[in-house]
Amino acid sequence: MLTFIGLGLYDEKDISVKGLEAIKSADSIFLEGYTSRLMGADIKKMEEYYGKKVIFLGRDDVEKHPDNILDCAERGSAVFLTGGDPMVSTTHSDLRIRAKMRGIPTQIIHGASIQSAVCGLSGLQNYRFGKSCSIPYPEKNWFPTTPLDTILQNIEQDLHTLVFLDIKPDRFMTVGEGVLLIEQMAEKRNLSAPQIFVGMARAGSAEPYVLAGDSEKLKKADFGAPLHVLVIPSSLHMMEKEYLETFAGL
């Protein structure tokens, strides 16, 4: 059996009771750490809370070399832990398909996701979000501008855009960096950058930080510790505008 378990948003205690019970009864516990992170808990804290050893996985361990996970699931009970909800990433969908092809039964225990948390933090209505996108750190001779296409297409359809910010082993993209990169994409393409941004940090923690405004405001703001996420709103409903003014300083 391979069980996909969402850990929620911030620390080891965000997990559901059902998820915790599945971990405690499992033979092998794997944690992927490349699509998201629980910034309020390290592996040691998680192991103490779960009472089990946790095996950390990088991207290649899941995408290129998943046999260790599948072998453990074939022999007994294995759990695959992810920040947020486990099926947001296509990587995890691929792993479940691989398990099915080997005749390994699977199940999903969902967790709180940033995709719903941003609605609560920003007041932006969930049915008004279009396709999301991710902003990667540019590399030498590589500066993708496709995230801007997604943002502008959503705005044209009067839809908000959730923008995921890059996570590297040694650094986490900030809201300010994300806003700057969007502006640079627009400049590179001779297009107009969005006018309003909503930045959020540490969703799920006791003290999340939310700020809305123009690019200069958000680039100057200190959002503090990661993880950060960005939303590009389209037109604002009266209630959305009032919510952002009340809780995000618009």
Side-chain angles (χ1 to χ4, degrees):
M1 169 68 80
L2 178 59
T3 303
F4 294 82
I5 302 177
L7 298 178
L9 296 168
Y10 188 70
D11 62 27
E12 75 280 9
K13 295 183 180 179
D14 280 350
I15 191 171
S16 67
V17 173
K18 185 185 291 184
L20 184 58
E21 289 176 348
I23 290 174
K24 289 184 177 296
S25 65
D27 301 311
S28 306
I29 296 94
F30 298 94
L31 168 69
E32 72 89 339
Y34 61 92
T35 61
S36 186
R37 300 279 181 89
L38 295 187
M39 300 310 298
D42 56 20
I43 289 183
K44 182 179 179 181
K45 285 182 69 176
M46 295 169 72
E47 289 179 333
E48 290 174 352
Y49 189 68
Y50 304 150
K52 290 289 185 75
K53 178 176 175 55
V54 176
I55 301 169
F56 183 82
L57 302 174
R59 183 180 293 275
D60 285 352
D61 298 320
V62 180
E63 294 185 349
K64 297 181 180 179
H65 310 291
D67 286 342
N68 186 35
I69 306 166
L70 298 174
D71 289 345
C72 289
E74 205 165 41
R75 292 192 300 264
S77 173
V79 298
F80 183 81
L81 310 178
T82 70
D85 186 86
M87 286 302 149
V88 171
S89 172
T90 54
T91 297
H92 308 153
S93 300
D94 177 70
L95 182 61
R96 192 181 185 206
I97 292 170
R98 288 172 184 259
K100 177 70 173 179
M101 292 174 67
R102 284 180 53 165
I104 300 168
T106 63
Q107 65 175 341
I108 302 169
I109 300 176
H110 295 282
S113 170
I114 190 62
Q115 291 188 306
S116 56
V118 294
C119 298
L121 290 173
S122 68
L124 298 174
Q125 297 163 352
N126 68 326
Y127 64 86
R128 295 198 59 215
F129 276 80
K131 180 182 176 182
S132 60
C133 63
S134 300
I135 298 181
Y137 280 111
E139 297 178 9
K140 186 178 180 181
N141 299 323
W142 184 69
F143 186 88
T145 61
T146 50
L148 181 65
D149 292 331
T150 299
I151 293 167
L152 296 180
Q153 287 166 11
N154 282 340
I155 290 175
E156 186 176 345
Q157 298 176 66
D158 200 22
L159 298 172
H160 309 315
T161 308
L162 173 59
V163 181
F164 297 102
L165 304 178
D166 203 359
I167 297 175
K168 296 291 187 186
D170 59 342
R171 57 180 172 160
F172 305 90
M173 186 178 291
T174 66
V175 165
E177 289 174 323
V179 171
L180 178 61
L181 286 170
I182 290 172
E183 289 186 316
Q184 290 174 342
M185 292 176 200
E187 183 178 356
K188 190 177 181 69
R189 298 273 298 277
N190 292 316
L191 296 170
S192 297
Q195 299 301 303
I196 299 177
F197 299 83
V198 184
M200 284 161 272
R202 298 173 302 285
S205 72
E207 296 182 345
Y209 184 71
V210 187
L211 186 67
D214 63 20
S215 62
E216 292 306 310
K217 181 178 179 180
L218 267 67
K219 284 189 293 185
K220 292 176 182 177
D222 181 5
F223 280 81
L227 291 174
H228 294 188
V229 70
L230 190 60
V231 174
I232 313 299
S234 57
S235 68
L236 295 173
H237 180 273
M238 176 180 64
M239 188 62 70
E240 292 177 315
K241 184 173 184 293
E242 183 177 359
Y243 198 104
L244 286 172
E245 289 171 344
T246 304
F247 297 106
L250 181 64

